[in-house]
Amino acid sequence: MAIDDPSKLRSYSWFNGKEYYNFSRRANLRALGISREAFHGKPVIGICNSFSELNNCNAHLRQVADAVKRGVWAAGGFPLEFPVMSLGEQYMKPTTMLFRNLMAMDVEESIRANPVDGVVLLCGCDKTTPAMLMGAASADVPAMIVTGGPTLSGNYQGKIIGQGTDGRKIFDLYRMNRISPEELQEIEGCMVRSAGHCTVMGTASTMAIVAEALGMSLPGAAAIPAPDSRRLALAEMSGRRIVEMVREELKPSCILTREAFENAITVDMAAGGSTNAVVHLLAIAGRTRHKLRLDDFDAISRRTPFLVNVRPSGQHMMEDFFYAGGVPAVMRELLPLLHRDALTVNGKTVDANVREAPCHNREVVREFSNPIYREGGTVVLRGNLCPDGAVLKQTAASPELCEHTGPAYVFESYQQMHDTIDSMDLPIDADTVLVMKGCGPKGAPGFPEWGHIPMPKVLMERGITDCVRISDARMSGTSFGTVVLHVSPESGIGGPLAVVQTGDRITLSVANRSLNVHIGEEEMQRRLARLKPASPHYTRGYGKLFLDHVTQAHLGCDFDFLQAE
Ligand code: FES
């Protein structure tokens, strides 16, 4: 039912009425230099801004906010911008993931506590988009995501380079003395060429695509480069549309349905999206009545072809993906697998939005009948090493290592790995399975992106560029390799990973979706019984709240008390 009576607006009770506080709030609003005519009776649109100079990916969001405001004014709304915390992936220690739930709480409570009838959520860097979606889902006030868009592609001496994916390869060459410090310094200046999020299919690009596939952004929003004028035009259109959404009472609960989540997973799989999307989608769905399970991802992965040729699983960049047609072009190909009737923020169905979507480059967005790979990007593994699951990005793995048995070489901690990985004395070879412990939600703490264990120097010197690596960490979506992640339960709470010893044989089988260590059940129990609990990393403050309430990777790592009942 449409709202056409201002007294039905959520904000109405803040500013209208006969109480002293109504008068006082109006007076304080006018302290901003706003005339009564400008706001009286209009829907108040909050612009929830994660701008921060401590987060270069979101550093342009004030300009984006101005464009949203133009749209809100034009549609007869009244915009008010407010800040929420920002999570700069590059700077925050120990990891932004420690703070995703805190930001989600900030978003939820900022919306709930304030006189807003609708909200446009400005985000971009990895954790900021899922945090916004989680908070908005819980607050359930009409809401729309506007991401900041990817940076321009990096360019070094005419060669396209992408942050993260190519940066790691370049740094490996530097470790091997094949790139000089002077060259490295020059590359530093041309890899991240503008504000905006990482320009490969990392977590930020993936979550922007997920937001669009969920129906929480306008069609075509995800891939527009940050400096492209069309991003500001999109922001303006979003500002116009959110005013209509308030009138239509179109809330996140109308859009974030089981069908929408399945659509988002399908598009994520076709895009070769970051493994982090699994954790974030589990958490976002956990804020609704439509819970997801890890096995939902594997079931969808098995039936979804991998179509988007963007690094690290492919060759191109997000900029190319935009020019090729972006998310609508992919969703059109995927229509046979999608819930076509799912509703989106523009008030139309997925089918109406994408059925005529053009594709301008079949090298970047493949046809359904001509995929890059017959299955989706991420697979879910089970076995005695990960009873509650683990994930692997098969499209970024070495095919010859996806069926592999080899002896474990164990790092008891990230620090130990960091301190010894370049040692030429490491007793390992191409068959070795590198295992790292203590990197999970509680053990690290915060579930950092440490899972991309660098290739040991001793192997790289022999020309070996990949080996099986296993941990309970996450991995940057920009990373690549045969890397098993999110082992659950984590070693820090006594999961089986904690008892793996150097020399144990481990089998990874992507075909069977399995990960097993070859020790008998009796030996496993004997080792588990000998484990001593580690002392907690935090005994006070937010860190303690996190340790007391964070769930494991297979449940999305949200706080138990924030999930929908
Ligand atoms: Fe912000 Fe990659 S560092 S998106």
Side-chain angles (χ1 to χ4, degrees):
M1 191 175 71
I3 292 181
D4 46 20
D5 175 357
S7 69
K8 300 271 180 357
L9 290 170
R10 183 172 180 269
S11 63
Y12 191 85
S13 67
W14 266 264
F15 299 113
N16 298 275
K18 296 188 170 55
E19 305 291 330
Y20 164 75
Y21 291 108
N22 304 125
F23 153 72
S24 172
R25 286 171 190 146
R26 289 194 301 272
N28 281 283
L29 197 54
R30 292 179 69 173
L32 298 178
I34 293 163
S35 68
R36 183 178 165 83
E37 290 68 31
F39 68 86
H40 185 67
K42 293 183 178 172
V44 179
I45 304 300
I47 301 172
C48 180
N49 200 343
S50 58
F51 156 83
S52 169
E53 287 183 340
L54 283 169
N55 184 355
N56 58 294
C57 308
N58 294 14
H60 58 313
L61 292 184
R62 277 180 171 167
Q63 206 188 350
V64 176
D66 285 343
V68 174
K69 285 180 194 173
R70 275 203 310 270
V72 173
W73 284 120
F78 173 54
L80 285 174
E81 184 183 346
F82 63 92
V84 286
M85 73 182 297
S86 197
L87 307 177
E89 196 64 30
Q90 298 294 332
Y91 302 145
M92 290 187 86
K93 291 186 175 182
T95 164
T96 50
M97 188 63 185
L98 183 68
F99 305 108
R100 183 201 62 180
N101 299 346
L102 183 61
M103 181 176 171
M105 290 168 83
D106 186 357
V107 172
E108 176 183 349
E109 301 306 340
S110 293
I111 295 172
R112 184 174 288 125
N114 280 299
V116 294
D117 300 300
V119 62
V120 177
L121 307 150
L122 305 188
C123 44
C125 196
D126 289 17
K127 309 301 178 298
T128 58
T129 303
M132 291 279 195
L133 284 165
M134 291 160 72
S138 293
D140 205 26
V141 166
M144 187 189 310
I145 292 277
V146 176
T147 50
T151 63
L152 293 174
S153 304
N155 192 311
Y156 174 59
Q157 297 181 345
K159 195 168 171 241
I160 297 295
I161 51 175
Q163 188 180 3
T165 303
D166 297 296
R168 283 187 179 81
K169 289 177 184 163
I170 288 163
F171 200 77
D172 278 346
L173 292 175
Y174 173 69
R175 284 168 63 212
M176 305 285 292
N177 297 321
R178 293 190 193 147
I179 281 183
S180 69
E182 292 74 25
E183 278 175 295
L184 193 73
Q185 214 174 78
E186 199 183 333
I187 293 169
E188 237 173 65
C190 31
M191 195 163 70
V192 190
R193 291 173 53 219
S194 68
H197 60 71
C198 291
T199 181
V200 295
M201 194 60 73
T203 305
S205 300
T206 304
M207 291 312 297
I209 288 169
V210 160
E212 186 174 333
L214 279 170
M216 289 295 291
S217 298
L218 290 181
I224 307 172
D228 194 303
S229 56
R230 284 166 284 187
R231 178 148 296 280
L232 297 182
L234 178 280
E236 184 188 301
M237 283 158 55
S238 301
R240 287 173 185 268
R241 176 62 195 151
I242 189 70
V243 178
E244 294 170 2
M245 286 173 67
V246 170
R247 296 197 171 113
E248 293 165 12
E249 297 189 88
L250 187 55
K251 298 178 181 176
S253 54
C254 308
I255 293 167
L256 296 175
T257 59
R258 172 82 197 178
E259 290 74 21
F261 284 113
E262 290 185 1
N263 284 350
I265 298 171
T266 304
V267 177
D268 169 38
M269 292 301 169
S274 163
T275 44
N276 289 322
V278 175
V279 179
H280 297 321
L281 271 164
L282 287 164
I284 298 162
R287 299 300 188 97
T288 74
R289 291 182 292 115
H290 313 286
K291 306 279 183 272
L292 292 172
R293 292 173 314 117
L294 209 46
D295 293 335
D296 293 325
F297 291 81
D298 199 62
I300 293 174
S301 177
R302 285 176 191 267
R303 66 176 184 239
T304 305
F306 170 44
L307 302 179
V308 180
N309 191 4
V310 170
R311 298 176 202 185
S313 296
Q315 296 157 332
H316 298 277
M317 309 295 266
M318 284 298 287
E319 214 179 316
D320 306 308
F321 179 53
F322 171 59
Y323 303 140
V327 176
V330 185
M331 291 183 77
R332 180 181 178 173
E333 290 304 312
L334 294 171
L335 273 177
L337 300 179
L338 296 178
H339 299 284
R340 292 165 175 246
D341 293 334
L343 189 61
T344 70
V345 285
N346 70 353
K348 297 180 184 164
T349 62
V350 163
D351 184 71
N353 286 339
V354 309
R355 68 174 172 246
E356 306 288 338
C359 176
H360 307 294
N361 189 342
R362 283 293 171 209
E363 173 60 24
V364 178
V365 178
R366 294 284 194 90
E367 284 168 311
F368 189 91
S369 56
N370 182 32
I372 304 163
Y373 189 67
R374 63 192 157 73
E375 289 186 349
T378 303
V379 302
V380 176
L381 307 168
R382 302 266 181 190
N384 70 351
L385 203 43
C386 52
D388 289 332
V391 301
L392 175 138
K393 193 174 187 178
Q394 62 175 338
T395 48
S398 302
E400 68 278 10
L401 288 173
C402 286
E403 305 299 317
H404 180 82
T405 298
Y409 183 83
V410 174
F411 300 106
E412 292 296 331
S413 67
Y414 172 77
Q415 197 58 49
Q416 187 195 357
M417 182 282 293
H418 179 268
D419 294 346
T420 58
I421 196 73
D422 277 347
S423 161
M424 298 308 282
D425 298 330
L426 272 190
I428 59 175
D429 59 27
D431 280 342
T432 303
V433 175
L434 299 180
V435 172
M436 183 168 64
K437 304 177 184 176
C439 305
K442 296 194 185 204
F447 205 15
E449 290 186 338
W450 291 341
H452 187 255
I453 302 169
M455 278 302 291
K457 213 169 181 175
V458 65
L459 294 185
M460 287 203 299
E461 290 282 5
R462 290 181 222 156
I464 299 161
T465 55
D466 193 12
C467 66
V468 176
R469 291 162 264 182
I470 300 172
S471 75
D472 44 12
R474 293 180 305 114
M475 172 175 91
S476 164
T478 64
S479 298
F480 46 87
T482 312
V483 184
V484 177
L485 304 154
H486 308 188
V487 166
S488 187
E490 62 171 298
S491 57
I493 62 166
L497 187 72
V499 301
V500 177
Q501 297 174 357
T502 293
D504 289 344
R505 292 187 74 73
I506 291 176
T507 295
L508 164 69
S509 171
V510 174
N512 295 330
R513 301 294 200 261
S514 64
L515 181 69
N516 287 292
V517 56
H518 297 279
I519 57 176
E521 182 55 23
E522 226 170 86
E523 173 65 5
M524 172 76 83
Q525 292 308 325
R526 199 175 57 78
R527 292 188 194 180
L528 284 171
R530 282 207 311 252
L531 280 178
K532 290 196 179 69
S535 46
H537 290 276
Y538 302 108
T539 53
R540 64 168 295 281
Y542 173 73
K544 176 164 168 46
L545 181 80
F546 183 92
L547 291 180
D548 287 350
H549 293 285
V550 71
T551 60
Q552 287 289 287
H554 67 285
L555 299 172
C557 297
D558 199 2
F559 293 154
D560 48 13
F561 60 84
L562 290 175
Q563 294 172 37
E565 285 161 9

mmCIF file with all atom_site columns, all heavy atoms in Angstrom, residues 55 57 89-90 125-126 163 197-198 204, ligand 1:
data_model
loop_
_atom_site.group_PDB
_atom_site.id
_atom_site.type_symbol
_atom_site.label_atom_id
_atom_site.label_alt_id
_atom_site.label_comp_id
_atom_site.label_asym_id
_atom_site.label_entity_id
_atom_site.label_seq_id
_atom_site.pdbx_PDB_ins_code
_atom_site.Cartn_x
_atom_site.Cartn_y
_atom_site.Cartn_z
_atom_site.occupancy
_atom_site.B_iso_or_equiv
_atom_site.pdbx_formal_charge
_atom_site.auth_seq_id
_atom_site.auth_comp_id
_atom_site.auth_asym_id
_atom_site.auth_atom_id
_atom_site.pdbx_PDB_model_num
ATOM   1  N  N   . ASN A 1 55  ? 40.074 5.057  4.389  1.00 0.00 ? 55  ASN A N   1
ATOM   2  C  CA  . ASN A 1 55  ? 39.598 3.986  3.512  1.00 0.00 ? 55  ASN A CA  1
ATOM   3  C  C   . ASN A 1 55  ? 39.560 4.544  2.091  1.00 0.00 ? 55  ASN A C   1
ATOM   4  O  O   . ASN A 1 55  ? 38.542 5.088  1.655  1.00 0.00 ? 55  ASN A O   1
ATOM   5  C  CB  . ASN A 1 55  ? 38.204 3.531  3.968  1.00 0.00 ? 55  ASN A CB  1
ATOM   6  C  CG  . ASN A 1 55  ? 37.673 2.361  3.167  1.00 0.00 ? 55  ASN A CG  1
ATOM   7  O  OD1 . ASN A 1 55  ? 38.320 1.934  2.199  1.00 0.00 ? 55  ASN A OD1 1
ATOM   8  N  ND2 . ASN A 1 55  ? 36.511 1.865  3.530  1.00 0.00 ? 55  ASN A ND2 1
ATOM   9  N  N   . CYS A 1 57  ? 39.246 3.322  -0.677 1.00 0.00 ? 57  CYS A N   1
ATOM   10 C  CA  . CYS A 1 57  ? 38.225 2.744  -1.564 1.00 0.00 ? 57  CYS A CA  1
ATOM   11 C  C   . CYS A 1 57  ? 36.921 3.542  -1.482 1.00 0.00 ? 57  CYS A C   1
ATOM   12 O  O   . CYS A 1 57  ? 36.156 3.577  -2.437 1.00 0.00 ? 57  CYS A O   1
ATOM   13 C  CB  . CYS A 1 57  ? 37.965 1.296  -1.181 1.00 0.00 ? 57  CYS A CB  1
ATOM   14 S  SG  . CYS A 1 57  ? 39.464 0.321  -1.079 1.00 0.00 ? 57  CYS A SG  1
ATOM   15 N  N   . GLU A 1 89  ? 40.120 -1.777 4.260  1.00 0.00 ? 89  GLU A N   1
ATOM   16 C  CA  . GLU A 1 89  ? 40.742 -3.102 4.198  1.00 0.00 ? 89  GLU A CA  1
ATOM   17 C  C   . GLU A 1 89  ? 42.259 -3.046 4.329  1.00 0.00 ? 89  GLU A C   1
ATOM   18 O  O   . GLU A 1 89  ? 42.886 -3.932 4.905  1.00 0.00 ? 89  GLU A O   1
ATOM   19 C  CB  . GLU A 1 89  ? 40.354 -3.750 2.860  1.00 0.00 ? 89  GLU A CB  1
ATOM   20 C  CG  . GLU A 1 89  ? 40.573 -5.237 2.764  1.00 0.00 ? 89  GLU A CG  1
ATOM   21 C  CD  . GLU A 1 89  ? 39.708 -6.020 3.738  1.00 0.00 ? 89  GLU A CD  1
ATOM   22 O  OE1 . GLU A 1 89  ? 38.606 -5.569 4.074  1.00 0.00 ? 89  GLU A OE1 1
ATOM   23 O  OE2 . GLU A 1 89  ? 40.172 -7.082 4.171  1.00 0.00 ? 89  GLU A OE2 1
ATOM   24 N  N   . GLN A 1 90  ? 42.825 -1.986 3.788  1.00 0.00 ? 90  GLN A N   1
ATOM   25 C  CA  . GLN A 1 90  ? 44.292 -1.935 3.710  1.00 0.00 ? 90  GLN A CA  1
ATOM   26 C  C   . GLN A 1 90  ? 44.944 -1.542 5.026  1.00 0.00 ? 90  GLN A C   1
ATOM   27 O  O   . GLN A 1 90  ? 46.117 -1.820 5.241  1.00 0.00 ? 90  GLN A O   1
ATOM   28 C  CB  . GLN A 1 90  ? 44.708 -0.945 2.618  1.00 0.00 ? 90  GLN A CB  1
ATOM   29 C  CG  . GLN A 1 90  ? 44.238 -1.340 1.242  1.00 0.00 ? 90  GLN A CG  1
ATOM   30 C  CD  . GLN A 1 90  ? 44.888 -2.628 0.746  1.00 0.00 ? 90  GLN A CD  1
ATOM   31 O  OE1 . GLN A 1 90  ? 46.004 -2.966 1.142  1.00 0.00 ? 90  GLN A OE1 1
ATOM   32 N  NE2 . GLN A 1 90  ? 44.211 -3.356 -0.106 1.00 0.00 ? 90  GLN A NE2 1
ATOM   33 N  N   . CYS A 1 125 ? 34.360 -0.677 -0.096 1.00 0.00 ? 125 CYS A N   1
ATOM   34 C  CA  . CYS A 1 125 ? 35.440 -1.581 0.324  1.00 0.00 ? 125 CYS A CA  1
ATOM   35 C  C   . CYS A 1 125 ? 34.840 -2.839 0.971  1.00 0.00 ? 125 CYS A C   1
ATOM   36 O  O   . CYS A 1 125 ? 33.736 -2.810 1.521  1.00 0.00 ? 125 CYS A O   1
ATOM   37 C  CB  . CYS A 1 125 ? 36.366 -0.852 1.280  1.00 0.00 ? 125 CYS A CB  1
ATOM   38 S  SG  . CYS A 1 125 ? 37.946 -1.693 1.508  1.00 0.00 ? 125 CYS A SG  1
ATOM   39 N  N   . ASP A 1 126 ? 35.630 -3.904 0.916  1.00 0.00 ? 126 ASP A N   1
ATOM   40 C  CA  . ASP A 1 126 ? 35.163 -5.271 1.190  1.00 0.00 ? 126 ASP A CA  1
ATOM   41 C  C   . ASP A 1 126 ? 34.034 -5.440 2.208  1.00 0.00 ? 126 ASP A C   1
ATOM   42 O  O   . ASP A 1 126 ? 32.976 -5.970 1.900  1.00 0.00 ? 126 ASP A O   1
ATOM   43 C  CB  . ASP A 1 126 ? 36.328 -6.126 1.691  1.00 0.00 ? 126 ASP A CB  1
ATOM   44 C  CG  . ASP A 1 126 ? 37.327 -6.443 0.596  1.00 0.00 ? 126 ASP A CG  1
ATOM   45 O  OD1 . ASP A 1 126 ? 37.305 -5.764 -0.442 1.00 0.00 ? 126 ASP A OD1 1
ATOM   46 O  OD2 . ASP A 1 126 ? 38.131 -7.355 0.796  1.00 0.00 ? 126 ASP A OD2 1
ATOM   47 N  N   . GLN A 1 163 ? 44.996 -4.454 -8.693 1.00 0.00 ? 163 GLN A N   1
ATOM   48 C  CA  . GLN A 1 163 ? 45.386 -4.477 -7.283 1.00 0.00 ? 163 GLN A CA  1
ATOM   49 C  C   . GLN A 1 163 ? 45.153 -5.866 -6.702 1.00 0.00 ? 163 GLN A C   1
ATOM   50 O  O   . GLN A 1 163 ? 44.158 -6.507 -7.024 1.00 0.00 ? 163 GLN A O   1
ATOM   51 C  CB  . GLN A 1 163 ? 44.552 -3.442 -6.530 1.00 0.00 ? 163 GLN A CB  1
ATOM   52 C  CG  . GLN A 1 163 ? 44.988 -3.230 -5.116 1.00 0.00 ? 163 GLN A CG  1
ATOM   53 C  CD  . GLN A 1 163 ? 44.109 -2.203 -4.436 1.00 0.00 ? 163 GLN A CD  1
ATOM   54 O  OE1 . GLN A 1 163 ? 43.157 -1.715 -5.013 1.00 0.00 ? 163 GLN A OE1 1
ATOM   55 N  NE2 . GLN A 1 163 ? 44.412 -1.908 -3.197 1.00 0.00 ? 163 GLN A NE2 1
ATOM   56 N  N   . HIS A 1 197 ? 36.885 0.771  -5.201 1.00 0.00 ? 197 HIS A N   1
ATOM   57 C  CA  . HIS A 1 197 ? 37.345 -0.506 -4.634 1.00 0.00 ? 197 HIS A CA  1
ATOM   58 C  C   . HIS A 1 197 ? 38.204 -1.268 -5.619 1.00 0.00 ? 197 HIS A C   1
ATOM   59 O  O   . HIS A 1 197 ? 38.330 -0.878 -6.793 1.00 0.00 ? 197 HIS A O   1
ATOM   60 C  CB  . HIS A 1 197 ? 36.154 -1.339 -4.132 1.00 0.00 ? 197 HIS A CB  1
ATOM   61 C  CG  . HIS A 1 197 ? 35.132 -1.703 -5.158 1.00 0.00 ? 197 HIS A CG  1
ATOM   62 N  ND1 . HIS A 1 197 ? 35.374 -2.624 -6.150 1.00 0.00 ? 197 HIS A ND1 1
ATOM   63 C  CD2 . HIS A 1 197 ? 33.852 -1.294 -5.331 1.00 0.00 ? 197 HIS A CD2 1
ATOM   64 C  CE1 . HIS A 1 197 ? 34.283 -2.769 -6.884 1.00 0.00 ? 197 HIS A CE1 1
ATOM   65 N  NE2 . HIS A 1 197 ? 33.347 -1.964 -6.421 1.00 0.00 ? 197 HIS A NE2 1
ATOM   66 N  N   . CYS A 1 198 ? 38.796 -2.366 -5.178 1.00 0.00 ? 198 CYS A N   1
ATOM   67 C  CA  . CYS A 1 198 ? 39.731 -3.143 -5.998 1.00 0.00 ? 198 CYS A CA  1
ATOM   68 C  C   . CYS A 1 198 ? 39.081 -3.501 -7.336 1.00 0.00 ? 198 CYS A C   1
ATOM   69 O  O   . CYS A 1 198 ? 37.900 -3.837 -7.402 1.00 0.00 ? 198 CYS A O   1
ATOM   70 C  CB  . CYS A 1 198 ? 40.156 -4.414 -5.272 1.00 0.00 ? 198 CYS A CB  1
ATOM   71 S  SG  . CYS A 1 198 ? 41.192 -4.092 -3.852 1.00 0.00 ? 198 CYS A SG  1
ATOM   72 N  N   . ALA A 1 204 ? 35.208 -6.880 -2.718 1.00 0.00 ? 204 ALA A N   1
ATOM   73 C  CA  . ALA A 1 204 ? 34.394 -5.672 -2.903 1.00 0.00 ? 204 ALA A CA  1
ATOM   74 C  C   . ALA A 1 204 ? 33.584 -5.766 -4.196 1.00 0.00 ? 204 ALA A C   1
ATOM   75 O  O   . ALA A 1 204 ? 32.377 -5.488 -4.197 1.00 0.00 ? 204 ALA A O   1
ATOM   76 C  CB  . ALA A 1 204 ? 35.286 -4.443 -2.915 1.00 0.00 ? 204 ALA A CB  1
HETATM 77 FE FE1 . FES B 2 .   ? 39.156 -1.798 -0.428 1.00 0.00 ? 1   FES B FE1 1
HETATM 78 FE FE2 . FES B 2 .   ? 40.161 -3.876 -1.981 1.00 0.00 ? 1   FES B FE2 1
HETATM 79 S  S1  . FES B 2 .   ? 41.134 -2.710 -0.439 1.00 0.00 ? 1   FES B S1  1
HETATM 80 S  S2  . FES B 2 .   ? 38.225 -3.018 -1.913 1.00 0.00 ? 1   FES B S2  1
#
